[in-house]
């Protein structure tokens, strides 16, 4: 049984940073960035700020904006794990500045574990009127446990944990190694353990149910079994799913149980099946919503491709001090929430958001726009995905009015880092005789195509906006009043029928 409550060790890495300065940091590039683990990207050095639960206070907002101005590109990007990235770092961040960030609670107290993936939970934890349990205490506990156990720095950097409190804004379909999802069984809240067995698929139900107070122990045991069966000298550590698959999941879970002081309970039947993971579910947090706390509201703000200019970040921090509880919450959909707004202040906050050049309407084309790093950030990319995505969204905003969010996903290569599920419309970058072009996919993936059905190929970026406009207009006409989601609409037709209807003037 792993022990809890060991005191925090001031780790070797931070000491080295203090002794030798930032050059040590910048020479030690890793594949998985963190505040203390810089990574080289096409556009400079990339630093990722690990923010468990995605909650930032206004002082942290100001400090991060300062760093991004002084050392980076003058902006920050929210990632699909609700981290923040500072990009285009050309000059080193001194160890003193890193220490100041740590003192403000940014990054882990123990920098040795700072490269391990951010702990995910619903951005509405504690405020969602439908949730069964507030998961923020569990996020904090697991983060503290990681920081207190330096041996866990040997875990794969991709070792990822997610807590879902069973609310409306669910994170259960996000890619994680371990998901603990709340459900109600005989009036008692349990967490159902899900493990990621299959590459690039959400975690799968193990039928094990746990009381909230048992969650930390099982996470510690899952980590301990991983370490026992992993050569920690390996440069590339295996993913948890690889170790589970090589041991066999039943064997793995038996070894987990041997480390626990309680027996594992199993419940085959899902007492409360999760609501189907529709594409639109990822956008329920956008807009103005009542909280579980009376007279308080939260507003989900659209960040185009997750980007915030530093002056926007500063002003958001100020705004939360003035009207709410002084914090913002980053979401795994690369947007943010302003929470705890008294009803009488909602209109003022709406106005301030608009003054910042931001929006909070779910039908804004940018609310469901996703792009990977693209050419500027990744050598594998065939196209400048981010610039193209924003240019397309700007064009569509003036040519089509949407009634519901449509997920448009730009990917610079077939790896699809930015989004694991099929988009409503996926644009896969290809370089065709040095012309940046896209294959266009719609609807469900089939056995041949993971992005959906390919309806056009090698479309140059200059041709793209008119084609997407036509696709959206045809969908609007044919789904009028039916409320039919885009995906269902396109799945009703053969490719040739779709191509024909998209080529007709609407
Ligand atoms: S999807 Fe491909 S091009 Fe885009 S960031 Fe990932 S590896 Fe790079």
């Amino acid at each position: 049984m792993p022990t809890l409550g060991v005191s925090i060790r001031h780790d070797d890495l931070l000491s080295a940073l203090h002794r030798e300065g930032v050059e040590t940091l910048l020479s030690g590039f890793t594949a998985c960035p963190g505040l203390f683990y810089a990574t080289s990207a096409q556009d400079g050095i990339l630093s990722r700020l690990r923010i468990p639960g995605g909650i930032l206070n206004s002082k942290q907002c100001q400090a991060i904006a300062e760093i991004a101005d002084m050392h980076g590109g003058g902006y920050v990007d929210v990632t699909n794990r609700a981290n923040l990235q500072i990009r285009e770092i050309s000059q080193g961040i001194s160890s003193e500045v890193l220490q100041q960030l740590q003192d403000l609670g940014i990054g882990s107290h123990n920098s040795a574990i700072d490269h391990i993936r951010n702990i995910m939970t619903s951005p509405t934890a504690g405020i969602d009127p439908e949730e069964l349990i507030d998961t923020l205490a569990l996020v904090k506990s697991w983060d503290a446990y990681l920081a207190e156990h330096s041996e866990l720095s040997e875990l794969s950097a991709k070792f990822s944990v997610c807590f879902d409190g069973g609310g409306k804004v669910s994170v259960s379909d996000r890619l994680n190694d371990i998901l603990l999802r709340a459900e109600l069984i005989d009036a008692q809240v349990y967490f159902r353990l899900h493990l990621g067995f299959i590459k690039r698929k959400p975690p799968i139900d193990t039928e094990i149910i746990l009381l909230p107070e048992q969650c930390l122990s099982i996470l510690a045991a899952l980590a301990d079994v991983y370490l026992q069966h992993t050569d920690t000298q390996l440069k590339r550590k295996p993913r948890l799913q690889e170790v589970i698959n090589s041991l066999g999941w039943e064997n793995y879970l038996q070894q987990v149980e041997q480390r626990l002081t309680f027996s594992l309970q199993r419940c085959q039947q899902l007492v409360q099946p999760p609501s189907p993971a529709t594409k639109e579910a990822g956008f329920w947090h956008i807009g103005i919503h009542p909280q579980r706390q009376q007279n308080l509201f939260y507003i989900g703000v659209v960040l185009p491709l997750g980007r915030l200019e530093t002056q926007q970040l500063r002003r958001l921090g100020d705004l939360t001090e003035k009207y709410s509880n002084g914090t913002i919450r980053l979401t795994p959909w690369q947007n943010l929430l302003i929470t705890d707004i008294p009803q009488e202040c909602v209109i003022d906050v709406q106005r301030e958001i608009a003054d910042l050049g931001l929006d909070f309407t779910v039908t804004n084309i940018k609310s469901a726009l996703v792009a990977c790093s693209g050419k500027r950030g990744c050598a594998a990319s065939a196209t400048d995905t981010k610039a193209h995505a924003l240019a397309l969204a700007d064009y569509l905003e003036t040519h089509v009015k949407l009634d519901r969010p449509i997920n448009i996903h730009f990917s610079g290569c077939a790896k699809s880092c930015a989004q694991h599920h099929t988009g409503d419309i996926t644009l896969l970058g290809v370089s065709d005789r040095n012309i940046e072009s896209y294959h266009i996919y719609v609807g469900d993936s089939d056995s041949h195509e993971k992005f959906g059905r390919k309806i056009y190929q090698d479309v140059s970026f200059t041709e793209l906006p008119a084609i997407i406009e036509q696709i959206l207009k045809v969908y609007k006409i044919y789904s009028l009043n039916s409320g039919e989601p885009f995906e269902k609409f396109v799945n009703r037709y053969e490719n040739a029928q779709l191509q024909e209807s998209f080529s007709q003037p609407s």
Side-chain angles (χ1 to χ4, degrees):
M1 167 73 189
T3 52
L4 304 177
V6 176
S7 63
I8 296 174
R9 184 168 71 81
H10 199 69
D11 59 284
D12 298 339
L13 179 59
L14 189 59
S15 306
L17 285 172
H18 282 241
R19 269 197 322 274
E20 297 174 34
V22 74
E23 289 72 21
T24 307
L25 167 75
L26 297 184
S27 61
F29 292 129
T30 75
C32 290
L35 178 58
F36 302 94
Y37 298 85
T39 293
S40 173
Q42 289 293 103
D43 54 1
I45 296 163
L46 160 64
S47 182
R48 184 173 295 160
L49 311 185
R50 186 172 170 277
I51 300 164
I55 300 182
L56 277 177
N57 65 39
S58 61
K59 272 195 184 151
Q60 291 170 327
C61 291
Q62 309 299 341
I64 292 168
E66 194 70 19
I67 304 271
D69 274 341
M70 284 177 61
H71 302 275
Y75 62 88
V76 291
D77 284 339
V78 180
T79 74
N80 56 9
R81 295 200 64 79
N83 289 301
L84 273 184
Q85 282 181 353
I86 301 176
R87 302 190 74 106
E88 298 185 44
I89 299 173
S90 52
Q91 291 183 338
I93 302 173
S94 71
S95 53
E96 287 72 27
V97 173
L98 291 176
Q99 181 68 65
Q100 281 166 18
L101 289 175
Q102 261 192 324
D103 293 345
L104 280 170
I106 300 166
S108 175
H109 279 303
N110 182 350
S111 52
I113 61 99
D114 197 59
H115 60 301
I116 293 175
R117 284 203 162 159
N118 201 18
I119 305 167
M120 193 184 285
T121 195
S122 167
T124 54
I127 61 173
D128 189 326
E130 295 180 24
E131 75 181 358
L132 300 171
I133 186 168
D134 179 357
T135 50
L136 288 177
L138 283 166
V139 171
K140 281 187 192 148
S141 301
W142 178 238
D143 190 45
Y145 185 84
L146 285 171
E148 289 162 5
H149 292 78
S150 288
E151 70 277 12
L152 298 182
S153 65
E154 301 294 351
L155 290 171
S156 159
K158 295 180 169 32
F159 192 92
S160 49
V161 173
C162 176
F163 299 96
D164 188 317
K168 180 161 183 174
V169 181
S170 171
V171 280
S172 294
D173 72 328
R174 305 286 89 194
L175 289 189
N176 282 287
D177 287 339
I178 303 169
L179 163 69
L180 290 159
R181 183 183 184 278
E183 66 181 62
L184 206 57
I185 302 174
D186 296 333
Q188 165 69 50
V189 174
Y190 287 86
F191 281 90
R192 186 174 282 270
L193 174 68
H194 298 66
L195 293 176
F197 297 123
I198 305 170
K199 206 173 173 190
R200 301 191 70 73
K201 291 280 179 204
I204 292 168
D205 180 15
T206 63
E207 300 178 353
I208 291 170
I209 54 169
L210 300 142
L211 292 166
E213 57 271 25
Q214 295 171 330
C215 289
L216 208 54
S217 298
I218 198 148
L219 290 175
L222 282 161
D224 198 48
V225 176
Y226 170 93
L227 290 178
Q228 194 191 329
H229 294 282
T230 300
D231 177 357
T232 54
Q233 300 304 311
L234 285 174
K235 196 159 180 241
R236 182 204 165 268
K237 306 271 169 58
R239 296 291 304 265
L240 177 62
Q241 66 191 27
E242 294 174 65
V243 181
I244 292 176
N245 285 328
S246 97
L247 282 182
W249 68 272
E250 282 182 356
N251 181 8
Y252 197 105
L253 288 175
Q254 266 173 18
Q255 295 190 36
V256 166
E257 192 160 17
Q258 285 160 11
R259 288 161 165 79
L260 300 171
T261 54
F262 54 88
S263 300
L264 290 176
Q265 273 192 82
R266 284 175 168 80
C267 175
Q268 281 188 348
Q269 195 167 356
L270 276 176
V271 175
Q272 195 181 4
S275 40
T278 62
K279 293 196 175 83
E280 290 181 23
F283 312 107
W284 279 334
H285 63 289
I286 299 294
I288 303 165
H289 303 271
Q291 295 185 188
R292 70 184 311 158
Q293 296 82 4
Q294 217 180 1
N295 197 39
L296 291 181
F297 288 75
Y298 73 86
I299 301 182
V301 180
V302 177
L303 301 183
L305 300 180
R307 182 153 296 183
L308 265 178
E309 303 299 328
T310 49
Q311 50 92 4
Q312 290 174 317
L313 181 59
R314 285 193 182 89
R315 283 182 56 193
L316 277 166
D318 292 342
L319 182 162
T320 61
E321 285 288 342
K322 190 168 165 191
Y323 297 106
S324 65
N325 67 349
T327 64
I328 58 172
R329 296 185 181 206
L330 311 177
T331 81
W333 300 278
Q334 297 177 271
N335 294 309
L336 65 83
L337 308 186
I338 300 170
T339 64
D340 299 274
I341 307 166
Q343 187 166 12
E344 60 275 18
C345 299
V346 168
I347 289 176
D348 292 324
V349 177
Q350 285 178 259
R351 195 196 57 244
E352 296 234 16
I353 292 169
D355 285 350
L356 284 170
L358 297 172
D359 189 30
F360 49 86
T361 49
V362 75
T363 51
N364 182 320
I365 200 96
K366 289 173 184 154
S367 76
L369 187 68
V370 176
C372 76
S373 302
K375 238 180 184 175
R376 298 184 200 189
C378 174
S381 185
T383 54
D384 191 352
T385 52
K386 282 189 185 277
H388 290 167
L390 289 175
L392 175 68
D394 287 342
Y395 173 88
L396 293 175
E397 270 168 12
T398 56
H399 289 76
V400 194
K401 192 160 170 39
L402 294 179
D403 304 317
R404 55 197 308 149
I406 304 282
N407 176 223
I408 301 178
H409 169 210
F410 278 76
S411 193
C413 79
K415 202 170 162 196
S416 186
C417 302
Q419 182 170 292
H420 67 273
H421 59 74
T422 317
D424 286 319
I425 300 172
T426 296
L427 304 163
L428 173 63
V430 284
S431 184
D432 180 26
R433 285 160 291 153
N434 285 333
I435 298 172
E436 292 185 52
S437 304
Y438 290 90
H439 297 337
I440 303 178
Y441 298 80
V442 295
D444 280 341
S445 53
D446 61 22
S447 53
H448 304 295
E449 302 280 11
K450 75 173 178 180
F451 293 115
R453 287 187 291 140
K454 193 200 282 181
I455 54 165
Y456 295 106
Q457 67 176 32
D458 298 324
V459 176
S460 71
F461 178 67
T462 46
E463 299 170 296
L464 195 65
I467 293 178
I468 304 297
E469 175 191 357
Q470 187 64 10
I471 291 174
L472 295 179
K473 282 185 170 168
V474 168
Y475 161 63
K476 273 191 75 174
I477 291 166
Y478 282 89
S479 65
L480 201 63
N481 299 329
S482 70
E484 184 177 44
F486 182 86
E487 174 188 16
K488 284 202 174 145
F489 160 71
V490 291
N491 286 345
R492 279 198 286 121
Y493 298 95
E494 299 294 330
N495 279 10
Q497 291 174 298
L498 288 174
Q499 283 160 349
E500 192 189 334
S501 64
F502 295 153
S503 63
Q504 307 290 326
S506 53

